[in-house]
Amino acid sequence: MAETRKVMITDTTLRDGHQSLLATRMRTEHMLPILEKVDQVGYNSIEMWGGATFDTCMRFLNEDPWERLRAIRRRMKNTKLQMLLRAQNVVGYKHYADDVLEEFVKRAVENGMDIFRIFDALNDIRNMEKSIEYVKREGAHAQATVVYTISPVHDYDFYMRTGKELVELGVDSICLKDMAGILAPKPAYEIVKGWKENLGVMVQLHCHYSSGMAAMSYLKAAEAGVDVIDCAISTMSSQSSQPCTESMVCALQETPYDTGLNIELLSEIAEYFKGVRANYTEFDHASCSPDTNVLIYQIPGGMISNFINQLKEQNALDKLPEVLAEVPRVREDFGFPPLVTPTSQIVGSQAAFNVIFGQRYLMATSESKQYMRGYYGRPPAPVNEDVRKMIIGDEEPIECRPADLIEPELPAARELGGDLIEKPEDVVSVALFPQVAPQFLQERKARKLKELEPANDDTNVNPV
């Protein structure tokens, strides 16, 4: 008889679910009413912070991301909270100084964060070392992440070697992150099995449903020994989100990997989020069918929508097929980076430029220049030196960890925030998003002053 080994589930509805389907626009007020029931499910963890949520809270929702964390923490008494940390990019789109990263981790733990999923877009471990160090120092769970992609250099040995190097840094668990939905069942089985047999840590698998393969890959990963899989509640799942929680629970029932989760309770939660999703129809444009283009070009769905907008602005939408075909060529020239934030934007924008201007690398984006200078880290494979020369001329790329060249940034953030700073977390917000956070803090201050204003009432009231 097969050994019983329960597979656990991390729910992504409150972060990656709505980031993938609703442009990260779900407001905190729509999260809080259902949390008591979510807390009863028995999830391994709830991913509810990080990624694009921090930026979007301030930029579009006029919400304090730190208050979202605190509010959810108050209501989740039994379930661990989890976030996506972009390593040295923190929750932004560039590298930040170590003092910003360190303070962010410290404040996140103080406000209730339990698990940090740490990844680097290039799988450059040098960019992840400080994140792991700071998370461990604060007593939280450090989950190292290997971003999954397909290329001549991303073979089985690459994933085994990278996983081993990360575990040697003392991480608590390891995750394979398939952000584009291109992980097929066979490599899912092989990588998970290799890690489980050789690394001695908990293994988690994160897939998007974009290509329609993710649930099959989860089943093979369960057979290989995976400990945790990432799912979203049914009404916020599939498409470019994660596989459906209820479907995976039922698929694993009466197997050695039975999750033990209550399908009736999950159904109640799904009905709630069905109603919530109806509030965001203006952002709800995810494809209703699998996007097999991702298997050809390895382009996540968000990249294609960006291409469409970019080309529309240039009155060049007819060139979309050329841009899609150009992405793999640029990616090869750039050393086969995985297409995840921010490398997806770098490669995608450069591919669009190459097509729009009618000549490859006639015009290079500022991000492409910084990439070729080494300021994002070490590419997985050597870049095309002829292309590098076209982009940055005879400049020599840096060889060190990029953040080693960044001076401390918190002092400038304190100065920029000035009297708008009310708590230590505000300094971190300003350091991360100096173009967005001060305006948010100004509006927050104005709201509080308005709340303190006496009512405009001319009625004379005689004191008793």
Side-chain angles (χ1 to χ4, degrees):
M1 186 172 177
E3 177 189 358
T4 300
R5 186 182 42 74
K6 182 171 75 171
V7 170
M8 296 176 286
I9 291 178
T10 286
D11 177 81
T12 65
T13 306
L14 301 185
R15 203 286 295 177
D16 208 357
H18 73 101
Q19 180 170 323
S20 298
L21 300 177
L22 308 177
T24 330
R25 292 305 204 278
M26 192 186 294
R27 304 184 65 85
T28 305
E29 66 187 82
H30 286 143
M31 301 176 182
L32 300 183
I34 196 65
L35 292 186
E36 183 178 341
K37 286 186 177 178
V38 173
D39 195 33
Q40 297 170 13
V41 171
Y43 288 122
N44 175 69
S45 62
I46 297 290
E47 189 198 54
M48 42 63 64
W49 215 52
T53 61
F54 197 98
D55 178 15
T56 305
C57 272
M58 293 187 294
R59 190 184 300 270
F60 299 117
L61 306 181
N62 202 19
E63 289 187 11
D64 187 340
W66 298 99
E67 179 52 35
R68 173 179 292 186
L69 172 56
R70 288 190 290 269
I72 293 176
R73 176 75 285 169
R74 286 194 293 269
R75 290 161 176 81
M76 301 295 288
K77 302 183 185 304
N78 305 304
T79 311
K80 291 183 178 179
L81 302 186
Q82 181 170 322
M83 73 162 292
L84 183 68
L85 184 68
R86 295 170 177 157
Q88 207 68 38
N89 290 2
V90 196
V91 289
Y93 310 101
K94 68 180 188 69
H95 283 213
Y96 295 93
D98 288 339
D99 66 332
V100 175
L101 172 62
E102 184 174 17
E103 186 72 0
F104 177 89
V105 170
K106 177 181 178 182
R107 298 301 172 184
V109 174
E110 285 183 356
N111 283 275
M113 187 54 61
D114 298 300
I115 302 171
F116 292 75
R117 175 174 292 167
I118 302 163
F119 84 95
D120 176 69
L122 296 176
N123 287 318
D124 187 341
I125 293 175
R126 301 174 306 167
N127 293 335
M128 302 170 67
E129 288 173 344
K130 288 295 183 181
S131 301
I132 294 168
E133 175 188 335
Y134 298 149
V135 169
K136 295 288 290 182
R137 180 194 301 169
E138 295 300 322
H141 180 116
Q143 182 175 90
T145 305
V146 183
V147 177
Y148 181 77
T149 191
I150 300 169
S151 82
V153 298
H154 292 91
D155 55 12
Y156 175 83
D157 289 341
F158 167 84
Y159 292 106
M160 293 304 103
R161 182 174 65 253
T162 306
K164 182 174 183 293
E165 291 175 10
L166 287 167
V167 169
E168 287 173 350
L169 293 177
V171 300
D172 300 291
S173 63
I174 190 166
C175 175
L176 185 64
K177 177 179 172 67
D178 172 29
M179 68 286 168
I182 58 175
L183 178 66
K186 182 174 183 287
Y189 179 90
E190 292 172 344
I191 294 170
V192 169
K193 186 174 178 61
W195 281 353
K196 287 301 296 182
E197 289 179 347
N198 298 301
L199 299 184
V201 296
M202 187 180 86
V203 174
Q204 189 154 352
L205 181 57
H206 173 92
C207 293
H208 287 250
Y209 206 77
S210 311
S211 71
M213 292 197 298
M216 293 181 281
S217 296
Y218 278 4
L219 284 173
K220 291 302 292 183
E223 294 174 5
V226 77
D227 296 287
V228 190
I229 53 176
D230 285 9
C231 300
I233 202 70
S234 57
T235 46
M236 290 291 294
S237 72
S238 304
Q239 300 172 290
S240 53
S241 179
Q242 277 69 57
C244 166
T245 301
E246 299 97 302
S247 298
M248 293 307 306
V249 167
C250 291
L252 294 172
Q253 278 179 349
E254 299 182 10
T255 76
Y257 324 111
D258 196 328
T259 66
L261 301 189
N262 185 313
I263 196 71
E264 284 79 16
L265 177 57
L266 292 171
S267 180
E268 292 180 43
I269 296 168
E271 188 65 23
Y272 173 82
F273 279 107
K274 180 181 179 180
V276 167
R277 187 168 178 174
N279 292 280
Y280 300 95
T281 53
E282 64 181 300
F283 305 108
D284 196 349
H285 303 304
S287 172
C288 293
S289 59
D291 179 11
T292 54
N293 276 327
V294 74
L295 299 173
I296 302 170
Y297 304 118
Q298 295 195 46
I299 298 172
M303 278 185 73
I304 292 181
S305 61
N306 288 339
F307 284 150
I308 291 172
N309 292 333
Q310 195 172 359
L311 293 172
K312 275 183 178 177
E313 291 172 1
Q314 299 292 328
N315 196 27
L317 190 55
D318 60 304
K319 295 186 181 295
L320 179 59
E322 294 177 59
V323 174
L324 295 179
E326 176 66 3
V327 167
R329 293 193 285 265
V330 173
R331 183 169 174 254
E332 181 175 358
D333 289 337
F334 281 44
F336 295 107
L339 295 180
V340 65
T341 301
T343 50
S344 56
Q345 290 88 339
I346 297 169
V347 170
S349 295
Q350 189 59 57
F353 272 37
N354 288 358
V355 171
I356 291 170
F357 290 106
Q359 182 178 333
R360 304 188 79 224
Y361 306 110
L362 175 66
M363 182 76 69
T365 67
S366 58
E367 291 80 10
S368 290
K369 292 176 181 177
Q370 289 296 85
Y371 181 95
M372 285 297 183
R373 290 172 179 138
Y375 284 98
Y376 286 92
R378 184 185 296 125
V383 303
N384 184 324
E385 289 298 335
D386 291 336
V387 169
R388 193 203 297 271
K389 192 172 182 65
M390 281 190 275
I391 293 177
I392 63 171
D394 294 326
E395 289 186 51
E396 286 293 322
I398 65 171
E399 296 293 338
C400 65
R401 182 183 74 112
D404 289 342
L405 303 176
I406 306 176
E407 294 294 325
E409 295 175 309
L410 288 179
R414 292 189 184 95
E415 184 174 347
L416 178 61
D419 61 0
L420 299 175
I421 301 295
E422 297 180 2
K423 53 186 184 297
E425 291 84 356
D426 294 340
V427 180
V428 180
S429 299
V430 173
L432 292 171
F433 296 103
Q435 307 302 320
V436 176
Q439 180 180 346
F440 164 75
L441 296 177
Q442 181 67 58
E443 291 173 357
R444 184 183 69 182
K445 183 177 182 179
R447 282 199 309 274
K448 288 185 176 180
L449 290 175
K450 187 175 180 64
E451 290 169 1
L452 292 173
E453 289 178 1
N456 186 16
D457 189 351
D458 296 330
T459 304
N460 292 320
V461 178
N462 293 321
V464 174

